[in-house]
Amino acid sequence: MARKTGSEKAAEIVDRFRAFEKEHHDLWSRMDEDLSLDRLEEWLPEDSQTEGYKTFTSNDPQTVAKKIRSWVAGAEVLARVPYAENKAKERTAGDLKEKFFYGALRSADDRRLEMVENPLHADMTWYVVHRGQVAVRALLMKNEDGETCVDITPYDPRNTAFGTGAHGLEWICFRLEKRKADLKSLYPKLRLNEEEDSHQTHTVYDYYDRVNNTIVMDGRELKQPEPHGAGRVPCVFVRNHNMPDVFTSNGDTKPSRSLGESVFESIRDTAKEKNEAMSVFLELSRRHRRQPVVITSPDGTATLDEDLWKEGSEVLVPEGTK
């Protein structure tokens, strides 16, 4: 069998990601809708003309998300290794494991802060609250000075594809948007269009299997398959466990929209209903405050020079005008 070229491997990775994206279209659409609620994007009624009409957008979803996010982000991270009380060796080993855990988290956060990124706990909290799931990669790596550092990076589940087998994760792929300037810094030999802006972004796929890590972009390999040394896929993907992956009886095998629900589960629909009700209320209030006025005159050209609805105003009209 002929050995696959770099472009063929890159195409295979992208095709695998897109197949996963198509299968999870409904679930990912739900995540997009939830993000719109959190960002307070203007609510617009479906199939209605809104120009010139009052609309209302509730801030309830954002308020609820912020409150829960503050609770989770403010919670203390604890590690507990169980051991038998009468076995001193197990106790010592357990204590060392806990110390390693806390040290690894501090090291990962120090590295993230140097890169002007949020602490690990903060980013993971955001994904769990807003997406209902989180993807994380964890590796020990060498920096440019040859020092070993802890790299723990959370990724957006909305742009994460994966496959499982008999032993858990078989592969995982993260889709990222990288600026041209960042790509040139990471890959000095990379050739890009010199005329495009330095802030122009490119879609990059960071792929891991049980042995290698590969990075591809624009149908080519930015990083050829290279052993990551973890002995397994060095990532985890966790969903909120409020509902198992249930399939319907009509033969539909697509993952449910409710798989790994976010904090917006209970207010997603009621927020839309409140927006619609309040929009109607605002529009009716506006119309009641400044009701339409019909002016008739012999030649049909009469207008009012003063604001009829301003308190204490006196409006003079020509003779014959009503």
Side-chain angles (χ1 to χ4, degrees):
M1 180 181 292
R3 187 175 182 179
K4 293 182 179 179
T5 64
S7 59
E8 290 175 336
K9 294 177 182 178
E12 184 177 301
I13 289 174
V14 174
D15 290 343
R16 182 175 288 188
F17 187 97
R18 289 175 177 171
F20 185 94
E21 181 179 24
K22 182 178 180 180
E23 182 182 1
H24 292 74
H25 175 267
D26 292 344
L27 180 60
W28 286 13
S29 294
R30 188 210 75 196
M31 296 184 189
D32 293 338
E33 294 166 8
D34 287 348
L35 187 60
S36 297
L37 289 175
D38 181 69
R39 287 180 171 176
L40 300 184
E41 294 183 6
E42 182 182 7
W43 177 85
L44 297 175
E46 297 179 0
D47 302 326
S48 294
Q49 179 66 33
T50 59
E51 185 176 356
Y53 292 86
K54 289 284 187 179
T55 59
F56 174 87
T57 302
S58 174
N59 67 339
D60 290 348
Q62 186 185 78
T63 302
V64 170
K66 280 186 175 181
K67 182 178 294 186
I68 296 179
R69 198 167 66 235
S70 67
W71 291 342
V72 180
E76 185 178 0
V77 178
L78 298 175
R80 290 292 182 267
V81 178
Y83 53 83
E85 294 185 2
N86 59 346
K87 294 184 178 181
K89 290 185 178 180
E90 288 188 7
R91 177 182 300 181
T92 301
D95 291 343
L96 291 175
K97 291 177 182 178
E98 292 175 5
K99 290 179 180 179
F100 173 80
F101 173 81
Y102 290 124
L105 289 185
R106 284 194 296 269
S107 177
D109 277 344
D110 289 344
R111 182 174 182 272
R112 291 178 60 80
L113 291 174
E114 289 178 358
M115 298 174 66
V116 198
E117 295 179 351
N118 294 328
L120 178 64
H121 192 191
D123 275 3
M124 291 182 65
T125 297
W126 193 95
Y127 289 127
V128 169
V129 171
H130 293 77
R131 300 299 202 195
Q133 39 209 292
V134 62
V136 181
R137 181 200 66 201
L139 281 171
L140 291 175
M141 58 178 291
K142 295 281 189 180
N143 60 19
E144 295 178 353
D145 298 327
E147 298 175 346
T148 301
C149 60
V150 179
D151 177 21
I152 306 178
T153 305
Y155 289 92
D156 186 2
R158 167 62 177 79
N159 289 285
T160 300
F162 61 89
T164 57
H167 302 287
L169 280 177
E170 291 292 334
W171 63 272
I172 194 167
C173 184
F174 307 111
R175 182 171 60 186
L176 310 167
E177 291 295 323
K178 293 286 189 180
R179 297 183 309 164
K180 174 186 174 182
D182 295 332
L183 289 170
K184 293 292 290 183
S185 176
L186 292 170
Y187 310 101
K189 297 181 180 181
L190 178 64
R191 293 184 178 180
L192 294 172
N193 185 356
E194 296 298 333
E195 296 181 357
E196 68 181 18
D197 188 86
S198 62
H199 294 283
Q200 176 70 35
T201 60
H202 294 263
T203 302
V204 176
Y205 296 86
D206 193 358
Y207 179 87
Y208 293 83
D209 57 23
R210 302 184 69 86
V211 178
N212 295 319
N213 167 228
T214 309
I215 301 177
V216 303
M217 182 193 79
D218 297 338
R220 51 180 164 164
E221 292 180 334
L222 292 183
K223 177 183 178 182
Q224 294 183 350
E226 181 179 295
H228 48 64
R232 56 184 292 276
V233 178
C235 309
V236 293
F237 190 97
V238 183
R239 294 190 175 108
N240 287 336
H241 298 293
N242 59 334
M243 176 182 174
D245 194 359
V246 178
F247 299 112
T248 60
S249 59
N250 62 5
D252 186 7
T253 58
K254 289 184 179 180
S256 168
R257 280 173 59 92
S258 300
L259 187 62
E261 266 292 4
S262 70
V263 72
F264 304 110
E265 177 183 12
S266 300
I267 61 176
R268 189 178 296 124
D269 294 329
T270 56
K272 296 178 182 178
E273 294 175 356
K274 180 178 181 180
N275 288 339
E276 183 173 9
M278 288 300 298
S279 295
V280 172
F281 173 77
L282 287 176
E283 179 61 25
L284 292 178
S285 299
R286 182 182 69 86
R287 293 183 184 182
H288 180 75
R289 183 181 178 187
R290 304 182 68 86
Q291 300 180 19
V293 177
V294 178
I295 303 174
T296 60
S297 62
D299 60 0
T301 61
T303 59
L304 300 180
D305 297 329
E306 300 291 337
D307 186 355
L308 179 66
W309 305 114
K310 186 177 181 180
E311 184 178 357
S313 62
E314 295 182 1
V315 181
L316 301 179
V317 295
E319 185 178 354
T321 301
K322 298 180 181 178

